[in-house]
Amino acid sequence: MAIPHGKLLTADDRAATVPAMTRQPTAEPGINPSSPSERTALVTGGGRGIGRAIALRFAADGWHVVVTGRTIEQLEEVVADAAGLSGRIVAQACDVGSAESVAAMVDNATSMVGPIDTVVNNAGVHAAGSFLELGPDVFRDLFETNVIGIVHVCQALLPSMIAAGFGRIINIASTAGLFESPGQSPYNTSKHAVVGLTRCMALEMAPTGVTVNAICPGFVDTPMLGSFADAAGVELDTIRQRLAGRTPMGRILAPDEIAHLAAHMASELAGGMTGQTMVVSNGMRMH
């Protein structure tokens, strides 16, 4: 359907812009008939930090989880950490910036755990420096992982979610995607793009039973803090103290705090939430 330029879209107009295949779910949209032991999730960047915490939380809830990343050794450690939990975790090496790598990973993942009903796009990289000193390749590299990686994964998995009439997509953005920061133009720009992509995807997927939301964490105690410390030329504990001092609550977040929110977003209880950017920042960002 062609929408005239400048026309305010109604709900019917928006539904008409979604491809026909997205308007023919096999289940009532938004209702997942699966028990917790049948829920399946893919967590990119699942080898450490926030991704690891989310994968372990899902497995603790009885889910079958696929963790992906570039370093298989880290992923295998997460698999081992899940031993004894009610669910299970399997590992698949993948570079989300490569469409071919994502396609192969999805084929392998679905053969091991079945159709994926939840995706957590957590894979991300960081770069910092003066804007005038950073070449375009720095921006391209960040966008390939932080933004295009989400596109690759979601385009590979959305058709099966739409056919089932249920799906959850959770994009890990950042408070950096909500404001400006000196020396952080590549990273902040990529995370602004994640927020915008989340909202656009959510609007298109709204009639299908698939929700799309973003989490914008503030300062989290993950290995990425090491790059902040290196850039500042200080010890890791020093950067932790500095970042904690910039928050009203005087602390930095633990990865598990993000995992708890992701678990709620992935549940049926969050069926009416889509297109949202949920900020968890110890009060650093309020809106």
Side-chain angles (χ1 to χ4, degrees), residues 227-235 239 242:
S227 66
F228 294 165
D230 291 342
V234 299
E235 296 295 324
I239 206 70
R242 287 183 182 178

Side-chain angles (χ1 to χ4, degrees), residues 228-254:
F228 294 165
D230 291 342
V234 299
E235 296 295 324
L236 183 57
D237 283 344
T238 300
I239 206 70
R240 286 192 179 107
Q241 293 172 6
R242 287 183 182 178
L243 296 178
R246 291 172 57 183
T247 73
M249 297 180 74
R251 68 182 185 92
I252 57 177
L253 296 157

